[in-house]
């Protein structure tokens, strides 16, 4: 009896309807795969080329709708001195010998990585697909994107700078697995932008205009030559923007010595201290929650926003604390401000928009890890980050990957159609049209195309 739809069983109703949709899609897909197999089975060219049917075999492949099991014919053909076996429908459909997941689903998973989705998010997107986090890692590892970095920069649309080019830099340290060992790595993030996009910004949220991000993944103890690093930054800026040499460059960071040094290697640039780090250090000493310290906190915050370095140091000349921990924090705050005099004074610069690199690290670097204690493979994470950063920079590596897959499949099918047989004039047991035995799924054409 058909189930009635009412308020009591609506959840069951929708769950069942969802299952019915996917079941129907799998049935239609199975019919198409098997129809292609029967088309080859009844074709004249198959019979004329000496492909002898040798039973059927079932194959299971994971699709976006779920696991699909279909039957296809196996054929044997003569190769010089013995018979070999081949599945012609798999070759025609572009399904590789050991492929378990469709190209379509693999691209969908990579596109979600590009959007910044984490592993569990991706698993939740495909409730009817039975696979594990390890499957996602394998898909990322096998994705041939190493040659896309150059293409990414070549295809990035260069934009004109209106007035200022903002360069925010910072380091973050993460643990990855490499050769079955956990190791610490440094990720140096470089954030470029040209100001605020006022059309997209709101009162509470500012959106950066023409934002571009690049990262350097290095071992924790790797020494970085600041001069060489800034040469790379300048080169990246030229790849992303048009009139870099005419723009006013503002370099912002948390006050680390290497960040302050960056200004020296970009003539005419100015250095701005990150307000977030500075105010946090003030709060650690002069807590706004303490009644007797709140006025000093408010005053120091105001003076910092005004870039009044000398008045700040006048307040910090005398240490009002006796507690050893407070004294230690006070001395740390005073030394921090002394080392960043120029960064404080430039707070009043009319083009100062602060530093946004901490948000970029949180939203685009650490977010992919899911803020857990697990350690990703360094190779896998580097690819994830590269795909995601390319998306932010306006380049879809997924589209490039799609182009490569489609081109490969077209060449595959064209080769299958035109060149899978040749006339032979040797003393084979079977004469006439003979298959090219060594041009199967692992043949020379496939190796050349897969190398890209």
């Amino acid at each position: 009896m058909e189930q009635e739809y009412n308020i009591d069983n609506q959840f069951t109703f929708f769950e069942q309807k969802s299952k019915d949709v996917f079941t129907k899609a799998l049935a239609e897909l199975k019919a198409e795969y098997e129809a292609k197999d029967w088309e080859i089975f009844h074709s004249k060219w198959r019979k004329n080329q000496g492909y002898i049917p040798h039973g059927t075999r079932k194959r299971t492949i994971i699709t976006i709708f779920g696991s699909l099991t279909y039957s296809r014919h196996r054929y044997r053909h003569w190769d010089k001195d013995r018979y070999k076996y081949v599945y012609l429908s798999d070759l025609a459909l572009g399904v590789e010998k050991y492929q378990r997941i469709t190209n379509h689903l693999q691209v969908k998973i990579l596109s979600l990585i590009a959007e910044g989705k984490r592993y569990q998010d991706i698993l939740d997107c495909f409730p009817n697909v039975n696979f594990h986090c390890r499957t996602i890692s394998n898909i990322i590892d096998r994705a041939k994107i190493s040659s896309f970095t150059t293409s990414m920069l070549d295809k990035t649309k260069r934009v004109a700078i209106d007035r200022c080019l903002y360069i925010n830099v910072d380091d973050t340290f993460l643990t990855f697995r490499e050769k079955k060992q956990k190791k610490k790595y440094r990720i140096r993030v470089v954030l470029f932008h040209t100001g605020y996009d006022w059309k997209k910004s709101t009162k509470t949220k500012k959106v950066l205009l023409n934002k571009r991000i690049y990262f350097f993944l290095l071992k924790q103890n790797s020494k970085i030559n600041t001069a060489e690093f800034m040469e790379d930054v300048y080169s990246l800026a030229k790849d992303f923007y048009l009139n870099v040499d005419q723009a006013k460059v503002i370099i912002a960071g948390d006050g680390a010595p290497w960040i302050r040094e960056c200004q020296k290697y970009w003539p005419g640039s100015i250095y701005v201290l990150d307000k977030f780090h500075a105010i946090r250090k003030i709060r650690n000493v002069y807590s706004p929650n303490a009644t007797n310290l709140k006025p000093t906190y408010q005053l120091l915050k105001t003076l910092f926003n005004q870039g009044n370095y000398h008045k700040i140091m006048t307040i910090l000349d005398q240490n009002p604390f006796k507690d050893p921990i407070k004294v230690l924090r006070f001395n740390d705050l005073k030394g921090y401000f002394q080392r960043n005099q120029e960064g404080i004074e430039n707070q009043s610069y009319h083009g100062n928009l602060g530093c946004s690199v901490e948000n970029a690290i949180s939203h685009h670097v650490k977010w992919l890890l899911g803020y857990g204690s697990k350690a990703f493979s360094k190779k896998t994470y580097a690819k994830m980050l590269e795909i995601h950063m390319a998306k932010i920079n306006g380049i879809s590596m997924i589209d490039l990957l799609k182009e490569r897959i489609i081109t490969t499949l077209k060449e595959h099918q064209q080769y299958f159609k035109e060149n899978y047989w040749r006339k032979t004039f040797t003393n084979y047991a079977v004469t006439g049209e003979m298959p090219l035995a060594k041009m199967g799924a692992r043949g020379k054409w496939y190796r050349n195309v897969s190398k890209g």
Side-chain angles (χ1 to χ4, degrees):
M1 181 178 180
E2 186 177 352
Q3 187 180 31
E4 295 182 0
Y5 171 60
N6 55 53
I7 198 67
D8 296 325
N9 61 20
Q10 61 174 320
F11 296 106
T12 305
F13 174 83
F14 284 110
E15 287 292 333
Q16 187 59 47
K17 285 297 180 184
S18 176
K19 291 180 181 179
D20 292 344
V21 169
F22 285 108
T23 301
K24 182 179 179 181
L26 285 172
E28 292 178 355
L29 190 59
K30 178 181 179 181
E32 290 185 16
Y33 273 51
E34 293 183 347
K36 184 65 176 178
D37 178 70
W38 281 104
E39 176 188 332
I40 295 173
F41 179 79
H42 292 296
S43 64
K44 291 183 179 180
W45 62 259
R46 192 272 305 168
K47 299 174 184 178
N48 294 336
Q49 310 311 324
Y51 284 92
I52 305 170
H54 195 74
T56 59
R57 297 290 187 275
K58 289 186 177 181
R59 177 168 189 172
T60 299
I61 191 168
I62 300 174
T63 73
I64 196 172
F65 308 115
S67 295
L68 170 67
T69 301
Y70 63 97
S71 297
R72 75 269 199 250
H73 286 85
R74 184 170 72 156
Y75 301 93
R76 63 178 183 174
H77 62 90
W78 187 258
D79 178 29
K80 295 183 179 179
D81 57 352
R82 63 189 180 94
Y83 279 107
K84 286 191 175 181
Y85 296 88
V86 65
Y87 295 94
L88 295 179
S89 61
D90 285 353
L91 293 174
L93 292 167
V95 181
E96 298 176 20
K97 186 173 182 179
Y98 297 106
Q99 185 175 350
R100 303 298 297 170
I101 302 176
T102 60
N103 291 324
H104 172 260
L105 180 55
Q106 293 184 52
V107 170
K108 289 291 290 183
I109 290 173
L110 291 173
S111 66
L112 291 173
I113 292 292
E115 295 292 341
K117 301 297 183 184
R118 297 170 293 184
Y119 278 18
Q120 188 58 51
D121 300 329
I122 295 173
L123 293 176
D124 293 340
C125 289
F126 307 104
N128 291 284
V129 180
N130 184 21
F131 60 90
H132 191 262
C133 292
R134 184 61 208 171
T135 307
I136 301 175
S137 294
N138 291 337
I139 290 172
I140 297 171
D141 288 342
R142 289 194 297 263
K144 298 178 176 66
I145 64 169
S146 58
S147 61
F148 285 166
T149 303
T150 303
S151 300
M152 179 187 72
L153 293 176
D154 289 343
K155 292 191 176 184
T156 299
K157 183 179 179 181
R158 298 171 68 204
V159 296
I161 302 170
D162 182 29
R163 186 166 59 90
C164 295
L165 174 62
Y166 299 86
I167 303 176
N168 302 168
V169 290
D170 199 7
D171 282 342
T172 187
F173 298 88
L174 299 172
T175 302
F176 300 119
R177 286 185 292 102
E178 187 177 29
K179 295 180 180 180
K180 299 182 179 181
Q181 292 183 346
K182 289 185 178 181
K183 298 180 181 180
K184 273 275 190 180
Y185 281 87
R186 177 207 306 260
I187 299 180
R188 178 159 292 186
V189 179
V190 184
L191 171 67
F192 302 89
H193 67 92
T194 59
Y196 290 142
D197 188 341
W198 295 111
K199 293 182 180 179
K200 298 180 180 179
S201 299
T202 63
K203 290 182 179 180
T204 57
K205 183 180 179 180
K206 299 295 188 294
V207 178
L208 300 180
L209 181 65
N210 301 321
K211 180 172 71 173
R212 302 288 185 267
I213 300 181
Y214 204 81
F215 73 95
F216 300 87
L217 180 59
L218 307 161
K219 290 184 178 180
Q220 180 182 11
N221 298 323
S222 298
K223 293 184 179 180
I224 302 176
N225 185 292
T226 305
E228 295 176 357
F229 167 70
M230 288 305 295
E231 288 180 6
D232 290 339
V233 171
Y234 178 76
S235 178
L236 286 169
K238 298 284 282 186
D239 288 328
F240 291 140
Y241 303 98
L242 291 172
N243 51 328
V244 173
D245 295 327
Q246 289 74 40
K248 183 64 178 179
V249 175
I250 301 174
I251 299 173
D254 61 5
W258 68 268
I259 297 178
R260 299 197 304 269
E261 190 182 0
C262 288
Q263 180 199 0
K264 300 177 183 178
Y265 298 101
W266 195 306
S269 65
I270 68 169
Y271 164 67
V272 173
L273 180 62
D274 181 15
K275 179 180 177 181
F276 170 78
H277 287 86
I279 299 302
R280 184 174 64 180
K281 283 187 174 292
I282 295 175
R283 287 176 65 96
N284 286 339
V285 179
Y286 298 94
S287 174
N289 298 323
T291 305
N292 61 326
L293 298 177
K294 185 175 181 179
T296 307
Y297 166 78
Q298 295 289 0
L299 178 59
L300 287 173
K301 185 177 178 181
T302 300
L303 293 174
F304 179 84
N305 291 332
Q306 293 173 352
N308 198 330
Y309 170 78
H310 295 290
K311 283 190 176 181
I312 291 176
M313 296 312 298
T314 299
I315 296 173
L316 297 180
D317 276 343
Q318 295 182 348
N319 182 2
F321 303 103
K322 295 182 179 180
D323 181 83
I325 296 178
K326 281 287 187 180
V327 171
L328 186 64
R329 291 179 179 176
F330 177 86
N331 292 333
D332 179 57
L333 172 65
K334 185 175 180 180
Y336 181 73
F337 280 0
Q338 286 175 338
R339 293 189 298 271
N340 287 280
Q341 177 178 351
E342 184 179 1
I344 295 173
E345 292 176 340
N346 286 331
Q347 295 296 318
S348 59
Y349 181 72
H350 65 279
N352 175 32
L353 297 181
C355 183
S356 303
V357 72
E358 286 290 342
N359 290 334
I361 290 175
S362 177
H363 294 160
H364 304 301
V365 177
K366 294 182 178 179
W367 175 259
L368 294 175
L369 298 174
Y371 289 93
S373 58
K374 54 187 174 297
F376 275 61
S377 161
K378 179 216 167 188
K379 176 184 175 183
T380 302
Y381 181 77
K383 282 191 175 183
M384 291 171 61
L385 199 57
E386 188 173 359
I387 294 171
H388 182 53
M389 294 299 180
K391 177 72 174 180
I392 297 172
N393 293 337
I395 293 297
S396 175
M397 282 191 173
I398 305 307
D399 290 340
L400 296 175
L401 187 60
K402 281 182 182 178
E403 292 175 10
R404 174 173 291 183
I405 291 174
I406 291 172
T407 301
T408 301
L409 290 178
K410 285 182 178 180
E411 292 181 4
H412 190 165
Q413 292 171 348
Q414 187 69 18
Y415 194 91
F416 170 79
K417 182 179 179 181
E418 297 180 356
N419 301 311
Y420 203 74
W421 305 275
R422 66 180 178 186
K423 289 186 178 181
T424 60
F425 302 95
T426 56
N427 296 323
Y428 290 159
V430 179
T431 59
E433 297 277 76
M434 294 296 296
L436 286 174
K438 295 184 179 179
M439 288 296 182
R442 294 183 180 179
K444 182 178 178 181
W445 76 271
Y446 179 79
R447 290 196 299 271
N448 291 339
V449 172
S450 63
K451 287 179 182 178

